Every structure is written in structure tokens, then in C-alpha cells.
Amino acid sequence: MEQAPIVFAQISDFLEYLGPDFATLIANTPFLANTDLNPSFPFCCSRHYADLIKNAKEPAALLREVLPTKEEYQDVPGFVDDPVGDLPAGKSECVIQKYDKRALIVTTATCGVRCRFCFRRNYPFQSVPNVDVHVGSWLDTHSDVWEVILSGGDPLTLSPAKFQSLVEAISDHPSVTTLRIHSRLPVMRPDLVQEHFEFLRDLPARFDCVLVSHVDHPDELDEESLNIFGLLRYSGWTLLNQSVLLKDVNDNAETLTKLSRKLFEQGVLPYYLHQLDHAKGVAHYEVSDTRALELMDEIRTKLPGYQVPKLVREIAGEKSKTPVL
Ligand SMILES: *Cc1c(COP(=O)(O)O)cnc(C)c1O
Ligand code: SF4
């Protein structure tokens, strides 16, 4: 193969890049071809993540997060297109306000990856070309909002210029004291996070800054994520992580314990462990509440309290995430 791309869009190129060591694993996986996929949720995986897979202690777990399989076509009752009720909550094109005095911005439809379990896999959201202008004028009429969450898609896939002009539009509103970024790029496209470094480093002078990363497995953390988290942390950012509880990816106490400990070693506190949102095509990742609660009981005996994430699920229409008890 010629020089491997930074992002694989072709499943065949991705599998070829993984190389012969993965032949058995892949032969045992009912993976799909690009042409089998719904064009609205294609394949996408970074070379960085492919390298993480190659170096992983549990490569099958990471592979399962990104490689489409025939299981996506199982039609399971209760798994629907808009599981978290984003469409009714949308107050304008790119602002979702479900919770009191806090707003989430769909900054872009672009993500650094297509996680096959994504809750937005069937969500018809579009990138708004002038997200900075929209958000600025929305905040003009919502002066009670104190926390703005940049989500997506992945906000750090915006070009540095677009990202900066969005943050500046928010910064013009003194009511907003907390700026939060939800991103999977520290483990998916560290190269893109680097491009934002200088700007991110200075933001704690204006906002209380929170990064909520999305890491599901300890093998996703490496030297590069350590560098990113280190830089942000020493610039004054609060670093939290959310994971999704996923069958045959991280649904065992040992993996979850390792994940918490490794996150903490990299300066990140485990925040949420999400029960899967029931998007159509993701039922094969489901872990039952009973099993999830057993796992929580087990990891609580192995970790300090501050490294135990909260097990939650999102229920459409609720005023906060709902604890699973
Ligand atoms: C999850 C979510 C938030 C953040 O909720 P926290 O419990 O504060 O992490 C905010 N807005 C929307 C629309 C959300 O889905
Ligand atoms: S990073 Fe989040 S939004 Fe992007 S594909 Fe994965 S689950 Fe979906």
C-alpha cells in the first residue's frame, strides 16, 4: 500500500493497514464492506487509532468500537433513530438546551471517527455554516446561561480559525462563566488537538474550562493522549472523562478498573459511565442494567471513590442524566 492515509474511509485499506497479525481476528468478525453501509453513517477511523489497535493488549475490544459488522442490521424493538430526544429539544439549528441554564452546541456534524455505537448515528444533524453567529445571537437572548458545552460531532475538528471565532462569540457574553468541550480527539486525532493548543492554553484566563474526553478502553490511552492532557491540565483545565459501557469492549471489572487508573495517571477523572443510548443498529453493544450494577459494585471495591464513574443513562425529556440504581 502507498503511504497510509491519516484517516481511513475504506474498510479494506484499514484492514490491510492492520496487517497479517490481525488476519485471524478479522476472519472471525462478520465485518461489512463500505458498500453495505448506510451512506449517512459511513466508516471512518484514524490511522492513529489503527496504531492503537496494533499496539493494544486487547485489540479485539478497540476493533469492535470502529469496525462495522452485520450485527448493525439487527432490527431490535426499542432501538430508534433519535434515542435521546435531541430533535424535540432543539431550540435553534445548533443549540440544544435540555438542562436548566446550560446549553449544548452542536458545533459541527464532523467527528474524528465513526464509533459504531454512536447515539447520533441516525440523527440527521447538519453542520451550520456560521455557528459562531448563531450561537452569539442565541446567547444575546439567553443571558441566564452560564455553561456552554461545545459538542458535536467533535468541536476540535473545526479549523482553528472557526473554533476561535466560536469561542470568541461565546466570550462576548459575560454570563457564560464555564466553557466545556466534549471531544474524542485526544485518542482519535491527537494531531488535530495540537493545532488548537496555543488557543486552548490561554482560555482558563477567561472561563472555567472543562474538557470531557471520551475514552472507553485503557488501550486507547498512550503517550500522545498523556501529552495533550498534561498540557491542558497544567494550563488550568479540569479534565473529566466519559465512557460508554459496551459489551465485549469494556464490560468487565478488570478493564474498567484499568481504565479509571490509567485515566487518573494521565490527569483525568472518570466522570460518567453511560448506559448505551438505544440508537437503531447498536443493540449488540448493550449491557443489561443488572450486569452494569454488578460491575459498579465490583469496581467500587477496587478503586478509590474519586476514580469510580457515575453510571447514568439519558432519558429523553428528563432534566438531567439519570443515575442507574
Ligand atoms: C449530557 C448533556 C449535557 C451535560 O450534562 P451533565 O450532566 O452536566 O454532564 C448538557 N446538555 C445536553 C443536551 C446533554 O445531553
Ligand atoms: S466520538 Fe461520539 S459523536 Fe463521534 S462517532 Fe463516536 S460516539 Fe459518535
Side-chain angles (χ1 to χ4, degrees), residues 33-43 72-73 114 116 121-122:
N34 282 75
T35 46
D36 298 326
L37 299 178
N38 185 332
S40 71
F41 200 72
F43 172 76
E72 293 189 13
Y73 283 118
R114 299 286 184 178
R116 301 319 297 178
R121 52 179 287 146
N122 313 302

Side-chain angles (χ1 to χ4, degrees), residues 41 111 113-115 117-120 152-154 184 214:
F41 200 72
C111 220
V113 55
R114 299 286 184 178
C115 308
F117 53 85
C118 181
F119 68 111
R120 293 217 165 108
D154 201 305
R184 189 148 162 74
H214 170 186

Side-chain angles (χ1 to χ4, degrees), residues 96 98-99 102 104 149 180 271-272 314 321:
I96 301 179
K98 289 190 199 166
Y99 304 156
R102 304 190 292 130
L104 181 145
I149 301 170
R180 175 160 142 190
Y271 175 41
Y272 280 149
E314 182 154 359
K321 304 283 184 270

